[in-house]
Amino acid sequence: MSAMNRKIIKALAETISKKVEHNKTETECLIREFYVLLGEQVSPGKESHGLDKGRFRGILHSMFGMTNDMMMDGFRAFDKDSDGFISLEEWIEGLSVFLRGTLDEKIQCYRVYDLNADKYIAREEMFHMLKNSLFRLPTEEDPDEGVKDLVEIAMRRLQDTYHDGQVSVEEFDEAVKEENLMLEAFGTCLPDASSIEKFEQRVFQEQLEQ
Amino acid sequence: MGQTLTRAAQWTTSTSGSGKLESTSVNESLLKEILGFVEDFSSKHPEEAALLFEEPLQWSTTLEGSDFKTGYDIRDSAVQSHEKDGEGQPLLQLAPPDVSVRSFSQLSQLLHLAEDRKLKELQTCLEENRDPVAKILGPSFAAHLKREGARPEVLSPEEKMTQDDSATDSNTKIKLLALIQNADKQILSKLVEEITKQAELNPTAVKDEVELLKQRCTEGEKKLLKSLRYTSDFEFSNGCRSPLWRQALGEMCYLVIEPCDCETLYITCSIAGVFLNGGRTQEADESGYEQTSDVYEDLVTLLRSRSPHFADNINNQVFAVQEPLSTQKIQHVELVDGEEQGQPQRSSEKQEKNVHEKARQQQTVNRTGGKKKYEPYLSKAEEKKPRKSSGEKKRLEQGAKTKMKTGLPVSSPGRLSSQKNEAEDKNPRKSSGEKKRLEQGAKTKIKTGLPVSSPGRLSSQKKKSSAGVCGEHFSDTSSESEEEEEQQKRHPESNTDPLSEYWQIQKLVKYLKRADQTATVLVLCGLMDFDLTNEACQIAIRDAGGLEILINLLDTDEVRCKIGSLKILRKISLNKQIQWSIVDMGGLQSMVKNLDAREKELKALAAETIANVAQFHRARRAVRHNDGIKKLVKLLDCGPNSTNLNANLEKDVEVARCGVLALWSCSKNTKNKEAIRKAGGIPLLGRLLKSPHEDMLIPVVGTLQECASEENYRTAIITEGMIKDLVKNLSRNNDELQMHCACAIFKCAEDKKTRELVRKYKGLHPLVSLLSKADNKQLLAAATGAIWKCSISMENVVIFQEYKALETLVGLLMDQPDEVLVNVVGALGEFAQIPANKATIRKCGGIKLLVNLLTKSNQMLLVNVTKAVGICATDKDNMV
């Protein structure tokens, strides 16, 4: 790595670290990780699109052990400007929530559940997300009954105040604060503690040793 | 009782209609079991025992009027109980030789009165009431009970609704029904155990044969049979699938076989051999057990004689089949072993990774699968066998076989449904019984990555444990009588319809059995929406087999599932019966494991639940044996005590609080006290004693006062400077906290140093002030006790006098429970060491009150009274 690049990364880290939970060194590590993942020549100066959807899913799977296809659309939560790519800043901000996020920040995983991005989680969206979560019995009369019941539980918890069959971010927020288990109600979209630990260890430790 | 009586009991065939119970060993042990159940019933289940029978049980008794004592109206030879129903009819009526009884409480009382004749009484009662359950619960309930394998949950709601006018009544009935069913199962399984001692049921041979034949059901032109399945997916721990009462007759399982060229065959496999039956299918009807053919030595022989197609083909194939099967099995094991060691044998790189993953997940599956805890309860002899390894191996084989048979490249865990469908297409034997179910179950687990047991297994565990667990429950409660005194917590029934809640809960629990992680958490949230402190809800969860699932969840890696599970467990574990069940299922072990989890919330919940469960000796011992005491003590280390904490420290404090709660429950066991001390718990408790929060102080002081029965602790309480804090907390306005503090001082103040310290920290005045709280007897007993012990030092008596303690104490000599009186009189004895006080006692009218107490029977009290009276008698004025 050239001295030039190192300098640029340092400078970048300086600015970005102010916005996130990570300190400068850690941010630097995350920046490096980003470029490694991008698989491109480390050239922070060069304009780059960032991580595309496919690669992002791969990362979620391999690094955080997240497997649910639908939920791997955490992409939408990361890709804040919705340009189809995750830029360096989006990457670090997203990871910051992943690794150190407060409950309020994590509640933003709501965006993952809002499949059509209309700011509401509708009953149909819930159904869609939950439809494979119960192993079906071959004898079942109405195979959807269980899933419908799950949606009912969720609706009851999420307090659909207007009874319009959809849940707003405020309602979601309120319900999660009452019962934290509702945070990932419709599928795992945040990494668990052990994979976070592994990731931090790998990215932060390794690079410090360098 | 229903099944036991109608099926297992050996009746003489009599033309007169009312049969007699033959005097066989089976009947004898059966009667003893029932006797045990009925005798203890009213003490264990007072609420259910009070329920009126639909019809009275009537029989001719050998008891006479003179056998009845208090609680009965005895006129000439006729007897009526004082206990009456709503219409004033007595619950027990005797007009020799006929007796009629209308509730369990009367029934067990009667049996107690019968003393050595009770077995005979019970026998006559059963002989003359051939269907007691129908009389007790009414015909429709009993009919339900008789339906084989039936459990309360399969009773349709309408059926129940029509029975009873009031919801609570039916609620009690359901509970009674469940109790009877459990006892029924328990007795039957004991009986089977006894019988199997005489004649070994050996289902392995049958199982092997069935497996072999199953292999030949699928393969195109060569197939021997169209299909073959067991009638029941549920397998008992002894390998049998027939209901317990049929096992008692030597029957092991039932098969439905469709041969290629003739009608469906319904087959019974028994010890004697195999034979056709009258069409036993899955439906729980009673007909169809009877033998309708000759007995054949094995299945192949029977099939040969019935199906020409089978006979033609089996000759060519059977050996060819046997060979590859056995080698195949060995290969499977090796294959899986290889995977476990991380040496995937797939060629493509992608697959390699997946196999790896699968193997890893399978390990977790096996871990949970292999060590199922409930199996040992059915047979004590089997308990010692190393089940774990054999179970694990079997599972491995099955898991591996699935892979081989379906021949699928192992797909990534993400693509669930496709894999399932594909597997099913290639394997169109959906109905082929348990094994297939297991395979599918294993697949699901692998797919979802959530090591919850497969539906098949779970349901079997459910039944197994309910029989086993209750067995333990009944036998143990009777052996640990002191535990029974611990108050069973009963909660007011909520106003919502108990029946509909019952069904909803059952439904949710059933979902849990086939839910992935996300659905599991949602269902758990759904369960939390119920009033889990309501006993009906607690029982509903247990009856549906929910406890097993909740406990199994604790062994997974899914933090959210664990948290959800514990949030439910901590509430339902307030129920005594549930506590027993949890302990029997090894639930404490799983909870203890979570005490050193990374997540604070999880630790706190686990500790809180342990605190609720550890309400009896065996549970407390289990905590210690699983190294729980050490782990709990570790939780106490939570940093500084302070009123303003940030969120993180607050969590630590909560963890510590739950840890103390658990230690408090555990500390009622002497060995645990020692274990807490050894784990370094005392200084940590001392630190927490400085906490400003009452919800922390109560369990801390509670634990300390509990442990202060030990010399070690009393010394440590002084050396760690805890007396000061105990005294300080005496003045807090919280009855419970004050009570524990006073109690701790009571126990420690035998020691002179403690008495001096209490005085030094100005604890004597607060103790006297507590005497004004005469309504709270526990508090009063603790306070008077502390005063008594502190008054052993004369310096203290002088100070007590400044607060007019003596006058107040004399005032307490009337209308107080013995616990209080013992201490009050003890204190008076000490006070009277000072001559002036003797006069005071007299002036307050204490002498007469003391003398009155001499008529009491409490020994401790008498010792103290005589001592006090003796000292007072040294004053001549007192003798007047």
Side-chain angles (χ1 to χ4, degrees):
Chain A
M1 203 182 290
S2 69
M4 179 61 191
N5 278 338
R6 213 168 282 180
K7 237 184 184 169
I8 298 174
I9 288 179
K10 275 223 158 81
L12 260 173
E14 180 103 41
T15 30
I16 298 176
S17 66
K18 283 173 192 153
K19 297 188 216 161
V20 293
E21 292 283 323
H22 298 282
N23 64 28
K24 219 162 63 181
T25 337
E26 286 172 342
T27 315
E28 224 179 293
C29 294
L30 291 176
I31 296 175
R32 278 180 229 272
E33 180 71 13
F34 179 74
Y35 286 113
V36 171
L37 291 170
L38 211 52
E40 289 172 15
Q41 209 52 39
V42 183
S43 50
K46 203 172 77 185
E47 196 51 42
S48 116
H49 291 301
L51 296 168
D52 61 22
K53 207 164 174 171
R55 208 170 259 166
F56 181 74
R57 284 182 175 217
I59 294 167
L60 286 188
H61 186 143
S62 59
M63 293 187 182
F64 296 111
M66 291 162 67
T67 48
N68 187 330
D69 259 357
M70 211 178 308
M71 291 311 129
M72 287 178 33
D73 265 351
F75 190 77
R76 275 202 306 280
F78 266 69
D79 181 19
K80 289 193 177 132
D81 57 9
S82 310
D83 65 349
F85 289 98
I86 290 170
S87 71
L88 177 63
E89 273 191 42
E90 285 168 343
W91 160 255
I92 290 171
E93 280 169 19
L95 269 187
S96 166
V97 175
F98 252 36
L99 303 176
R100 310 261 165 97
T102 61
L103 185 60
D104 277 318
E105 285 168 331
K106 285 182 177 169
I107 285 174
Q108 292 308 312
C109 75
Y110 163 86
R111 293 163 63 115
V112 179
Y113 301 142
D114 177 14
L115 299 177
N116 59 3
D118 66 348
K119 311 260 187 247
Y120 288 98
I121 309 175
R123 208 176 263 274
E124 296 72 37
E125 286 170 315
M126 293 181 196
F127 187 85
H128 187 67
M129 290 183 281
L130 294 172
K131 71 176 177 223
N132 290 325
S133 65
L134 283 178
F135 167 61
R136 301 231 161 121
L137 301 175
T139 52
E140 249 178 328
E141 273 177 29
D142 177 6
D144 289 338
E145 192 197 340
V147 183
K148 282 180 194 153
D149 285 342
L150 290 181
V151 172
E152 280 318 307
I153 294 173
M155 286 303 276
R156 200 160 63 223
R157 280 272 172 180
L158 296 173
Q159 286 164 350
D160 173 19
T161 345
Y162 304 108
H163 300 286
D164 51 0
Q166 46 187 17
V167 172
S168 69
V169 67
E170 291 79 18
E171 287 165 329
F172 187 77
D173 181 283
E174 203 176 306
V176 170
K177 285 189 174 144
E178 192 190 307
E179 175 56 72
N180 290 351
L181 289 177
M182 290 306 290
L183 180 59
E184 293 176 81
F186 305 108
T188 313
C189 56
L190 295 165
D192 62 17
S194 67
S195 44
I196 289 177
E197 198 169 276
K198 258 185 252 158
F199 179 88
E200 293 204 340
Q201 221 163 25
R202 189 177 64 79
V203 176
F204 297 154
Q205 296 292 322
E206 239 174 47
Q207 306 216 1
L208 284 177
E209 283 161 15
Q210 270 180 13
Chain B
M1 293 311 93
Q3 288 196 35
T4 318
L5 285 175
T6 43
R7 288 151 176 173
Q10 294 162 341
W11 298 93
T12 54
T13 41
S14 133
T15 43
S16 67
S18 71
K20 295 270 179 219
L21 280 167
E22 285 179 66
S23 61
T24 60
S25 66
V26 172
N27 277 350
E28 200 177 313
S29 47
L30 191 134
L31 275 174
K32 277 187 189 146
E33 292 296 333
I34 299 179
L35 182 69
F37 172 75
V38 177
E39 270 197 305
D40 297 337
F41 194 87
S42 64
S43 55
K44 276 190 198 137
H45 314 284
E47 200 181 311
E48 290 80 11
L51 190 81
L52 276 188
F53 292 172
E54 288 287 310
E55 273 181 71
L57 295 175
Q58 291 168 310
W59 70 96
S60 41
T61 176
T62 57
L63 294 177
E64 289 161 3
S66 55
D67 290 317
F68 290 87
K69 294 181 183 81
T70 47
Y72 296 94
D73 270 333
I74 305 165
R75 226 171 291 125
D76 301 327
S77 57
V79 176
Q80 292 196 339
S81 65
H82 286 166
E83 214 181 328
K84 301 228 169 25
D85 66 8
E87 290 147 24
Q89 291 296 313
L91 297 185
L92 181 141
Q93 262 180 306
L94 173 80
D98 293 318
V99 68
S100 132
V101 176
R102 291 172 58 209
S103 80
F104 258 112
S105 61
Q106 283 299 331
L107 192 58
S108 44
Q109 212 166 341
L110 181 136
L111 289 173
H112 281 295
L113 290 169
E115 289 170 358
D116 52 341
R117 278 171 293 165
K118 56 190 171 191
L119 213 56
K120 185 74 201 142
E121 279 302 314
L122 184 71
Q123 184 176 347
T124 333
C125 167
L126 292 175
E127 279 169 0
E128 291 178 30
N129 299 280
R130 284 294 289 268
D131 200 352
V133 180
K135 293 197 172 175
I136 292 168
L137 292 172
S140 45
F141 260 99
H144 154 70
L145 185 65
K146 267 204 215 152
R147 239 176 283 145
E148 179 230 335
R151 302 172 57 76
E153 73 259 34
V154 293
L155 196 66
S156 67
E158 309 81 57
E159 214 174 322
K160 278 194 175 171
M161 293 305 229
T162 53
Q163 316 241 338
D164 289 290
D165 10 286
S166 79
T168 32
D169 195 22
S170 87
N171 209 9
T172 326
K173 260 195 186 175
I174 296 171
K175 276 187 244 161
L176 182 59
L177 177 67
L179 285 170
I180 292 181
Q181 276 184 318
N182 283 335
D184 209 15
K185 282 213 189 87
Q186 179 211 352
I187 292 171
L188 272 172
S189 60
K190 275 201 180 170
L191 219 56
V192 169
E193 205 181 306
E194 218 157 275
I195 290 166
T196 42
K197 268 183 221 148
Q198 297 156 9
E200 193 65 44
L201 295 183
N202 185 3
T204 354
V206 178
K207 224 190 266 176
D208 291 346
E209 208 179 359
V210 169
E211 285 311 314
L212 193 67
L213 288 171
K214 266 191 195 167
Q215 301 280 327
R216 314 313 299 172
C217 286
T218 39
E219 290 157 40
E221 308 142 42
K222 281 191 198 165
K223 73 176 179 183
L224 295 170
L225 300 166
K226 258 194 226 155
S227 78
L228 177 153
R229 64 181 171 88
Y230 289 110
T231 53
S232 158
D233 286 342
F234 171 58
E235 193 177 328
F236 286 89
S237 67
N238 60 6
C240 294
R241 288 161 196 265
S242 53
L244 284 165
W245 63 277
R246 296 304 292 184
Q247 286 182 34
L249 300 174
E251 293 180 2
M252 298 181 286
C253 62
Y254 309 99
L255 293 166
V256 180
I257 297 183
E258 275 186 85
C260 297
D261 52 354
C262 58
E263 278 177 19
T264 308
L265 303 171
Y266 299 93
I267 297 172
T268 302
C269 302
S270 76
I271 320 178
V274 296
F275 53 83
L276 294 182
N277 60 39
R280 246 207 86 58
T281 52
Q282 204 138 20
E283 292 81 56
D285 60 326
E286 285 192 36
S287 65
Y289 281 117
E290 75 275 16
Q291 183 177 340
T292 58
S293 77
D294 293 338
V295 177
Y296 297 84
E297 61 175 315
D298 57 24
L299 273 174
V300 174
T301 327
L302 184 145
L303 289 169
R304 256 187 215 173
S305 76
R306 295 281 155 175
S307 161
H309 172 86
F310 183 85
D312 287 347
N313 288 287
I314 187 77
N315 295 332
N316 319 331
Q317 284 187 18
V318 71
F319 296 106
V321 172
Q322 240 154 1
E323 259 329 283
L325 185 72
S326 55
T327 46
Q328 211 180 0
K329 267 191 184 169
I330 296 161
Q331 279 171 357
H332 296 326
V333 178
E334 280 171 358
L335 172 66
V336 175
D337 282 348
E339 284 178 6
E340 282 186 338
Q341 287 152 18
Q343 299 161 354
Q345 303 174 344
R346 311 275 159 156
S347 51
S348 118
E349 241 183 68
K350 181 160 187 229
Q351 281 175 353
E352 199 165 294
K353 196 173 86 194
N354 288 328
V355 170
H356 207 68
E357 198 148 315
K358 186 162 175 176
R360 183 174 53 82
Q361 285 164 338
Q362 205 170 352
Q363 273 177 330
T364 29
V365 171
N366 288 327
R367 200 187 62 217
T368 41
K371 62 142 195 248
K372 278 302 150 248
K373 310 130 185 167
Y374 328 114
E375 287 164 347
Y377 290 110
L378 271 182
S379 152
K380 287 239 160 98
E382 278 175 329
E383 206 170 296
K384 284 167 192 137
K385 285 187 202 161
R387 296 177 148 269
K388 184 176 172 175
S389 60
S390 71
E392 219 161 56
K393 194 166 168 194
K394 195 173 144 206
R395 288 223 132 199
L396 286 173
E397 282 174 20
Q398 281 165 344
K401 230 181 271 172
T402 322
K403 267 180 266 165
M404 294 289 280
K405 267 195 243 153
T406 54
L408 286 174
V410 187
S411 65
S412 89
R415 263 164 255 136
L416 317 180
S417 49
S418 66
Q419 191 193 3
K420 191 176 84 192
N421 295 339
E422 223 174 309
E424 277 172 4
D425 290 342
K426 292 204 179 182
N427 236 340
R429 300 173 298 144
K430 257 187 242 169
S431 59
S432 62
E434 157 130 24
K435 173 131 186 244
K436 175 71 183 151
R437 277 285 279 286
L438 275 175
E439 287 169 4
Q440 283 181 341
K443 252 183 261 160
T444 334
K445 264 172 280 167
I446 292 161
K447 278 183 277 176
T448 57
L450 181 68
V452 187
S453 306
S454 73
R457 261 194 85 91
L458 269 171
S459 63
S460 65
Q461 282 153 12
K462 175 177 80 185
K463 293 187 195 164
K464 240 179 265 176
S465 60
S466 60
V469 162
C470 287
E472 286 269 309
H473 178 84
F474 286 115
S475 59
D476 269 55
T477 35
S478 54
S479 68
E480 293 183 57
S481 57
E482 103 265 6
E483 315 255 341
E484 282 175 23
E485 289 167 23
E486 294 182 38
Q487 196 60 46
Q488 182 164 350
K489 295 199 179 172
R490 293 206 174 261
H491 295 273
E493 314 281 26
S494 69
N495 291 326
T496 38
D497 177 13
L499 279 174
S500 98
E501 278 194 348
Y502 193 87
W503 305 120
Q504 284 171 29
I505 288 176
Q506 298 263 349
K507 194 163 140 195
L508 288 181
V509 172
K510 279 183 193 143
Y511 288 151
L512 274 185
K513 293 173 187 167
R514 52 196 182 93
D516 76 356
Q517 182 194 352
T518 303
T520 300
V521 173
L522 269 179
V523 174
L524 292 175
C525 287
L527 283 171
M528 283 176 226
D529 289 338
F530 289 92
D531 174 15
L532 294 175
T533 54
N534 176 332
E535 193 174 356
C537 292
Q538 296 163 347
I539 298 298
I541 292 178
R542 188 196 65 180
D543 285 354
L547 291 182
E548 289 88 338
I549 305 174
L550 291 173
I551 290 171
N552 281 350
L553 283 174
L554 298 182
D555 291 330
T556 64
D557 296 327
E558 302 298 340
V559 177
R560 295 169 62 242
C561 295
K562 291 188 198 187
I563 289 178
S565 159
L566 284 169
K567 280 187 174 172
I568 294 171
L569 282 172
R570 76 168 158 178
K571 292 211 176 131
I572 60 175
S573 60
L574 294 170
N575 179 311
K576 194 91 195 150
Q577 293 181 32
I578 303 247
Q579 289 162 11
W580 282 96
S581 305
I582 290 176
V583 174
D584 287 337
M585 291 169 196
L588 279 172
Q589 195 181 352
S590 310
M591 290 171 203
V592 166
K593 269 191 240 149
N594 283 303
L595 286 178
D596 35 29
R598 196 184 279 112
E599 295 75 13
K600 288 172 185 167
E601 188 181 7
L602 184 53
K603 285 198 273 196
L605 282 166
E608 194 182 342
T609 316
I610 291 174
N612 290 344
V613 175
Q615 296 296 325
F616 54 100
H617 182 76
R618 201 153 52 86
R620 292 177 193 128
R621 196 178 54 201
V623 175
R624 184 179 71 246
H625 285 178
N626 289 301
D627 223 14
I629 301 288
K630 255 188 229 162
K631 291 183 180 181
L632 286 169
V633 168
K634 232 184 259 168
L635 299 186
L636 305 192
D637 200 355
C638 69
N641 284 307
S642 139
T643 29
N644 3 311
L645 301 166
N646 67 31
N648 210 14
L649 280 175
E650 217 167 85
K651 276 186 202 160
D652 285 333
V653 171
E654 175 63 11
V655 170
R657 190 184 70 87
C658 295
V660 188
L661 277 174
L663 286 177
W664 187 16
S665 296
C666 291
S667 67
K668 292 175 179 87
N669 171 319
T670 317
K671 282 192 187 156
N672 282 348
K673 293 176 190 174
E674 186 56 19
I676 296 172
R677 195 185 62 83
K678 277 196 182 143
I682 300 180
L684 290 170
L685 285 169
R687 206 163 82 198
L688 294 174
L689 189 56
K690 298 188 184 302
S691 159
H693 306 288
E694 280 176 11
D695 56 354
M696 173 72 93
L697 287 168
I698 291 173
V700 169
V701 183
T703 312
L704 283 171
Q705 70 90 359
E706 195 67 57
C707 292
S709 59
E710 306 300 302
E711 177 69 43
N712 282 333
Y713 274 87
R714 293 198 291 267
T715 321
I717 286 174
I718 300 169
T719 53
E720 297 276 336
M722 291 190 227
I723 300 289
K724 184 178 179 185
D725 296 303
L726 289 173
V727 166
K728 193 174 86 193
N729 289 317
L730 272 181
S731 312
R732 274 180 182 265
N733 192 17
N734 179 316
D735 281 13
E736 195 181 358
L737 182 54
Q738 287 171 317
M739 189 261 287
H740 291 308
C741 287
C743 216
I745 293 172
F746 178 18
K747 286 179 182 167
C748 292
E750 293 262 6
D751 179 279
K752 189 158 181 275
K753 184 98 179 91
T754 306
R755 298 196 290 268
E756 283 166 10
L757 286 172
V758 174
R759 183 175 68 244
K760 182 179 159 199
Y761 296 121
K762 306 203 184 324
L764 299 176
H765 183 207
L767 283 175
V768 178
S769 318
L770 288 180
L771 295 182
S772 62
K773 297 199 177 184
D775 296 338
N776 186 337
K777 297 301 171 196
Q778 270 183 309
L779 176 56
L780 196 59
T784 49
I787 291 176
W788 170 22
K789 295 300 172 184
C790 284
S791 64
I792 297 173
S793 294
M794 284 307 124
E795 299 93 322
N796 288 349
V797 177
V798 173
I799 296 176
F800 277 135
Q801 270 312 82
E802 291 173 15
Y803 305 110
K804 305 251 178 265
L806 190 52
E807 288 80 353
T808 323
L809 285 172
V810 172
L812 289 173
L813 282 175
M814 272 186 305
D815 304 326
Q816 295 297 340
D818 284 1
E819 306 88 85
V820 176
L821 289 173
V822 170
N823 299 337
V824 172
V825 178
L828 290 182
E830 298 300 336
F831 275 70
Q833 305 279 359
I834 296 176
N837 286 341
K838 292 176 199 166
T840 319
I841 294 175
R842 182 185 67 239
K843 280 176 200 152
C844 306
I847 304 292
K848 186 162 180 262
L849 293 170
L850 277 173
V851 171
N852 285 347
L853 289 179
L854 285 168
T855 58
K856 289 269 190 173
S857 60
N858 182 320
Q859 231 173 359
M860 260 309 273
L861 181 55
L862 287 176
V863 169
N864 284 352
V865 172
T866 41
K867 197 172 157 215
V869 171
I871 295 173
C872 290
T874 55
D875 185 325
K876 276 185 189 153
D877 291 335
N878 284 347
M879 298 301 284
V880 180

